[in-house]
Amino acid sequence: MPGAVPAGSGAAPWAGLLESLGLTCSIATAAKILGIGRTTAFELLRRGEFPVEVIGLGRVRRVRTADLLAYLRVSPTGQPANTPGEGTTHPATAGDGPHAA
């Protein structure tokens, strides 16, 4: 199958797509990646509720690819990023904060 990732390669299916995005992507592309419709994405944008920061360049609106990946907890290589409870310590539970015993 064209574009398929070989079994056991360790690469996520979307790794090639992530490489092709560049530093920013359009709202429509971000919507596809987020799994929401274009109309919904632009409605969220209009209400100021788009899930990641949107950069305005004149009339053009762009999303930083890094922000999108961070929101989805995906590393730039396409691998799932560590989340709290998966080998990392969340800052709020680090034990040296104001609630430490």
mmCIF file with all atom_site columns, all heavy atoms in Angstrom, residues 1-13:
data_model
loop_
_atom_site.group_PDB
_atom_site.id
_atom_site.type_symbol
_atom_site.label_atom_id
_atom_site.label_alt_id
_atom_site.label_comp_id
_atom_site.label_asym_id
_atom_site.label_entity_id
_atom_site.label_seq_id
_atom_site.pdbx_PDB_ins_code
_atom_site.Cartn_x
_atom_site.Cartn_y
_atom_site.Cartn_z
_atom_site.occupancy
_atom_site.B_iso_or_equiv
_atom_site.pdbx_formal_charge
_atom_site.auth_seq_id
_atom_site.auth_comp_id
_atom_site.auth_asym_id
_atom_site.auth_atom_id
_atom_site.pdbx_PDB_model_num
ATOM 1  N N   . MET A 1 1  ? 0.859  -1.180 0.000  1.00 0.00 ? 1  MET A N   1
ATOM 2  C CA  . MET A 1 1  ? 0.000  0.000  0.000  1.00 0.00 ? 1  MET A CA  1
ATOM 3  C C   . MET A 1 1  ? 0.900  1.237  0.000  1.00 0.00 ? 1  MET A C   1
ATOM 4  O O   . MET A 1 1  ? 1.769  1.367  0.852  1.00 0.00 ? 1  MET A O   1
ATOM 5  C CB  . MET A 1 1  ? -0.897 -0.025 1.235  1.00 0.00 ? 1  MET A CB  1
ATOM 6  C CG  . MET A 1 1  ? -1.653 1.273  1.444  1.00 0.00 ? 1  MET A CG  1
ATOM 7  S SD  . MET A 1 1  ? -2.602 1.277  2.971  1.00 0.00 ? 1  MET A SD  1
ATOM 8  C CE  . MET A 1 1  ? -4.070 0.473  2.415  1.00 0.00 ? 1  MET A CE  1
ATOM 9  N N   . PRO A 1 2  ? 0.699  2.179  -0.917 1.00 0.00 ? 2  PRO A N   1
ATOM 10 C CA  . PRO A 1 2  ? 1.519  3.381  -0.958 1.00 0.00 ? 2  PRO A CA  1
ATOM 11 C C   . PRO A 1 2  ? 1.383  4.199  0.314  1.00 0.00 ? 2  PRO A C   1
ATOM 12 O O   . PRO A 1 2  ? 0.299  4.387  0.828  1.00 0.00 ? 2  PRO A O   1
ATOM 13 C CB  . PRO A 1 2  ? 0.976  4.169  -2.156 1.00 0.00 ? 2  PRO A CB  1
ATOM 14 C CG  . PRO A 1 2  ? 0.186  3.207  -2.947 1.00 0.00 ? 2  PRO A CG  1
ATOM 15 C CD  . PRO A 1 2  ? -0.262 2.128  -2.014 1.00 0.00 ? 2  PRO A CD  1
ATOM 16 N N   . GLY A 1 3  ? 2.510  4.666  0.825  1.00 0.00 ? 3  GLY A N   1
ATOM 17 C CA  . GLY A 1 3  ? 2.499  5.495  2.019  1.00 0.00 ? 3  GLY A CA  1
ATOM 18 C C   . GLY A 1 3  ? 2.379  4.709  3.307  1.00 0.00 ? 3  GLY A C   1
ATOM 19 O O   . GLY A 1 3  ? 2.396  5.288  4.378  1.00 0.00 ? 3  GLY A O   1
ATOM 20 N N   . ALA A 1 4  ? 2.237  3.390  3.208  1.00 0.00 ? 4  ALA A N   1
ATOM 21 C CA  . ALA A 1 4  ? 2.111  2.594  4.415  1.00 0.00 ? 4  ALA A CA  1
ATOM 22 C C   . ALA A 1 4  ? 3.450  2.521  5.123  1.00 0.00 ? 4  ALA A C   1
ATOM 23 O O   . ALA A 1 4  ? 4.506  2.554  4.503  1.00 0.00 ? 4  ALA A O   1
ATOM 24 C CB  . ALA A 1 4  ? 1.622  1.186  4.070  1.00 0.00 ? 4  ALA A CB  1
ATOM 25 N N   . VAL A 1 5  ? 3.392  2.410  6.429  1.00 0.00 ? 5  VAL A N   1
ATOM 26 C CA  . VAL A 1 5  ? 4.604  2.297  7.227  1.00 0.00 ? 5  VAL A CA  1
ATOM 27 C C   . VAL A 1 5  ? 4.873  0.820  7.442  1.00 0.00 ? 5  VAL A C   1
ATOM 28 O O   . VAL A 1 5  ? 3.986  0.086  7.857  1.00 0.00 ? 5  VAL A O   1
ATOM 29 C CB  . VAL A 1 5  ? 4.421  3.016  8.586  1.00 0.00 ? 5  VAL A CB  1
ATOM 30 C CG1 . VAL A 1 5  ? 5.637  2.829  9.464  1.00 0.00 ? 5  VAL A CG1 1
ATOM 31 C CG2 . VAL A 1 5  ? 4.137  4.481  8.354  1.00 0.00 ? 5  VAL A CG2 1
ATOM 32 N N   . PRO A 1 6  ? 6.082  0.351  7.140  1.00 0.00 ? 6  PRO A N   1
ATOM 33 C CA  . PRO A 1 6  ? 6.382  -1.062 7.338  1.00 0.00 ? 6  PRO A CA  1
ATOM 34 C C   . PRO A 1 6  ? 6.216  -1.456 8.798  1.00 0.00 ? 6  PRO A C   1
ATOM 35 O O   . PRO A 1 6  ? 6.550  -0.687 9.699  1.00 0.00 ? 6  PRO A O   1
ATOM 36 C CB  . PRO A 1 6  ? 7.855  -1.181 6.915  1.00 0.00 ? 6  PRO A CB  1
ATOM 37 C CG  . PRO A 1 6  ? 8.159  0.056  6.137  1.00 0.00 ? 6  PRO A CG  1
ATOM 38 C CD  . PRO A 1 6  ? 7.198  1.090  6.607  1.00 0.00 ? 6  PRO A CD  1
ATOM 39 N N   . ALA A 1 7  ? 5.694  -2.656 9.016  1.00 0.00 ? 7  ALA A N   1
ATOM 40 C CA  . ALA A 1 7  ? 5.514  -3.150 10.374 1.00 0.00 ? 7  ALA A CA  1
ATOM 41 C C   . ALA A 1 7  ? 6.852  -3.194 11.081 1.00 0.00 ? 7  ALA A C   1
ATOM 42 O O   . ALA A 1 7  ? 7.853  -3.599 10.508 1.00 0.00 ? 7  ALA A O   1
ATOM 43 C CB  . ALA A 1 7  ? 4.868  -4.540 10.337 1.00 0.00 ? 7  ALA A CB  1
ATOM 44 N N   . GLY A 1 8  ? 6.857  -2.762 12.330 1.00 0.00 ? 8  GLY A N   1
ATOM 45 C CA  . GLY A 1 8  ? 8.067  -2.813 13.123 1.00 0.00 ? 8  GLY A CA  1
ATOM 46 C C   . GLY A 1 8  ? 9.049  -1.687 12.843 1.00 0.00 ? 8  GLY A C   1
ATOM 47 O O   . GLY A 1 8  ? 10.139 -1.667 13.370 1.00 0.00 ? 8  GLY A O   1
ATOM 48 N N   . SER A 1 9  ? 8.682  -0.735 11.973 1.00 0.00 ? 9  SER A N   1
ATOM 49 C CA  . SER A 1 9  ? 9.604  0.354  11.654 1.00 0.00 ? 9  SER A CA  1
ATOM 50 C C   . SER A 1 9  ? 9.704  1.358  12.785 1.00 0.00 ? 9  SER A C   1
ATOM 51 O O   . SER A 1 9  ? 10.638 2.140  12.838 1.00 0.00 ? 9  SER A O   1
ATOM 52 C CB  . SER A 1 9  ? 9.166  1.074  10.377 1.00 0.00 ? 9  SER A CB  1
ATOM 53 O OG  . SER A 1 9  ? 7.996  1.819  10.621 1.00 0.00 ? 9  SER A OG  1
ATOM 54 N N   . GLY A 1 10 ? 8.726  1.367  13.696 1.00 0.00 ? 10 GLY A N   1
ATOM 55 C CA  . GLY A 1 10 ? 8.742  2.290  14.816 1.00 0.00 ? 10 GLY A CA  1
ATOM 56 C C   . GLY A 1 10 ? 8.223  3.675  14.463 1.00 0.00 ? 10 GLY A C   1
ATOM 57 O O   . GLY A 1 10 ? 8.089  4.517  15.322 1.00 0.00 ? 10 GLY A O   1
ATOM 58 N N   . ALA A 1 11 ? 7.943  3.945  13.203 1.00 0.00 ? 11 ALA A N   1
ATOM 59 C CA  . ALA A 1 11 ? 7.450  5.264  12.805 1.00 0.00 ? 11 ALA A CA  1
ATOM 60 C C   . ALA A 1 11 ? 5.926  5.259  12.835 1.00 0.00 ? 11 ALA A C   1
ATOM 61 O O   . ALA A 1 11 ? 5.293  4.300  12.456 1.00 0.00 ? 11 ALA A O   1
ATOM 62 C CB  . ALA A 1 11 ? 7.934  5.617  11.409 1.00 0.00 ? 11 ALA A CB  1
ATOM 63 N N   . ALA A 1 12 ? 5.376  6.341  13.310 1.00 0.00 ? 12 ALA A N   1
ATOM 64 C CA  . ALA A 1 12 ? 3.923  6.482  13.308 1.00 0.00 ? 12 ALA A CA  1
ATOM 65 C C   . ALA A 1 12 ? 3.454  6.697  11.876 1.00 0.00 ? 12 ALA A C   1
ATOM 66 O O   . ALA A 1 12 ? 4.195  7.217  11.054 1.00 0.00 ? 12 ALA A O   1
ATOM 67 C CB  . ALA A 1 12 ? 3.519  7.663  14.188 1.00 0.00 ? 12 ALA A CB  1
ATOM 68 N N   . PRO A 1 13 ? 2.220  6.317  11.564 1.00 0.00 ? 13 PRO A N   1
ATOM 69 C CA  . PRO A 1 13 ? 1.724  6.447  10.195 1.00 0.00 ? 13 PRO A CA  1
ATOM 70 C C   . PRO A 1 13 ? 1.752  7.877  9.670  1.00 0.00 ? 13 PRO A C   1
ATOM 71 O O   . PRO A 1 13 ? 1.841  8.103  8.488  1.00 0.00 ? 13 PRO A O   1
ATOM 72 C CB  . PRO A 1 13 ? 0.291  5.942  10.273 1.00 0.00 ? 13 PRO A CB  1
ATOM 73 C CG  . PRO A 1 13 ? 0.149  5.257  11.572 1.00 0.00 ? 13 PRO A CG  1
ATOM 74 C CD  . PRO A 1 13 ? 1.262  5.700  12.451 1.00 0.00 ? 13 PRO A CD  1
#
